[in-house]
Amino acid sequence: MEKGDILGITITTLNPEYNQLFNSGAVSQSLITSQGANSGAINSVNSNNFDVTRNGFQVDENGAVNLPILGKQNLAGLTRKEAQDMLTTEVAKTAKDPIVNVKFLNYKVTVIGEVTRPGSFTIPDERVNVLEALGMAGDMTPFSVRDSVLVIREKDGVRSMQRINLNDKNVFNSPYFYLQQNDVVYVQPENKLKSRQAGGDNLRVWSMVLTGISVLSLALFRFIE
């Protein structure tokens, strides 16, 4: 988990009022009574941080999320599975048999360069590889360089870049084959190929122009005669 991540967090326990409080944000008086108003079990919630139905829970600049009942929880550097396990342990202190589900609501990758439909794509199942991302972007154009696709990744404020060769079967072993959240895939254009294409287009245009001039000249010559 990193700053700016938006998480969908749901909790299910044997206590329906606990579930209602956490998953809807509606504080139940009976829950406060049963937990104890002075027990510290009920924590205040920052309304700017909490919007389950629309925005989820946003990880703040310190790597924490502010949750109903649990209060601030530091998730910095944790994987989704690790965050689930940690929150399950915390919920178990005040509720029986909790089931915690954590997912990214803003998990996306961006594909730019020599593709049909460049753009950013939200990934619902949080698992996508380079080939799948290129498919979402309409695949590479005929002018792309397939053996030098650049993957740009930023983690903990450190940016790294790696070129992968899609023509090499070993690409499946690359740590950059499966993309991570906010990765950027850049497909480089093949300049020589584009130049040849542009040259061919220009040649066709000039050929059409010369043909038109020839036809016009012939028509004028016949008219003069």
Side-chain angles (χ1 to χ4, degrees), residues 13-216:
T13 72
L14 296 180
N15 186 334
E17 292 180 328
Y18 188 110
N19 302 339
Q20 181 184 10
L21 169 60
F22 189 92
N23 298 312
S24 72
V27 178
S28 166
Q29 181 60 43
S30 59
L31 177 62
I32 295 176
T33 302
S34 64
Q35 296 288 346
N38 298 319
S39 66
I42 306 299
N43 290 289
S44 62
V45 179
N46 182 344
S47 60
N48 293 325
N49 181 252
F50 174 52
D51 189 345
V52 172
T53 58
R54 292 193 296 273
N55 300 324
F57 299 93
Q58 185 169 21
V59 179
D60 66 21
E61 59 184 8
N62 298 315
V65 291
N66 195 18
L67 304 176
I69 304 177
L70 302 179
K72 280 203 170 184
Q73 300 293 318
N74 189 356
L75 305 180
L78 299 183
T79 65
R80 186 172 63 88
K81 176 65 166 56
E82 290 170 342
Q84 283 185 172
D85 292 344
M86 190 197 84
L87 293 177
T88 298
T89 299
E90 290 298 315
V91 175
K93 295 176 182 179
T94 55
K96 291 183 179 180
D97 300 327
I99 299 175
V100 178
N101 182 57
V102 178
K103 64 179 180 179
F104 289 100
L105 298 183
N106 63 335
Y107 192 105
K108 66 179 177 65
V109 297
T110 300
V111 184
I112 57 176
E114 204 61 42
V115 292
T116 304
R117 296 187 301 273
S120 295
F121 305 93
T122 300
I123 312 301
D125 57 1
E126 302 166 25
R127 182 175 173 85
V128 63
N129 60 48
V130 171
L131 298 178
E132 292 169 332
L134 291 172
M136 293 176 186
D139 205 355
M140 307 165 77
T141 74
F143 312 112
S144 61
V145 177
R146 304 186 68 87
D147 59 1
S148 186
V149 175
L150 181 66
V151 179
I152 305 170
R153 177 170 298 167
E154 187 168 333
K155 191 172 183 63
D156 299 326
V158 178
R159 182 172 298 169
S160 61
M161 294 181 288
Q162 180 68 44
R163 294 188 180 274
I164 59 177
N165 182 357
L166 297 183
N167 296 326
D168 186 350
K169 64 181 180 180
N170 293 320
V171 67
F172 302 108
N173 300 322
S174 170
Y176 286 81
F177 179 70
Y178 278 97
L179 301 176
Q180 298 182 11
Q181 185 181 6
N182 295 324
D183 277 1
V184 176
V185 179
Y186 171 66
V187 180
Q188 180 180 332
E190 214 297 334
N191 292 329
K192 292 182 179 179
L193 182 59
K194 274 202 163 182
S195 296
R196 289 197 295 269
Q197 178 68 20
D201 291 342
N202 290 337
L203 181 60
R204 284 191 292 272
V205 170
W206 279 109
S207 177
M208 293 173 63
V209 170
L210 292 175
T211 299
I213 292 174
S214 298
V215 171
L216 180 61

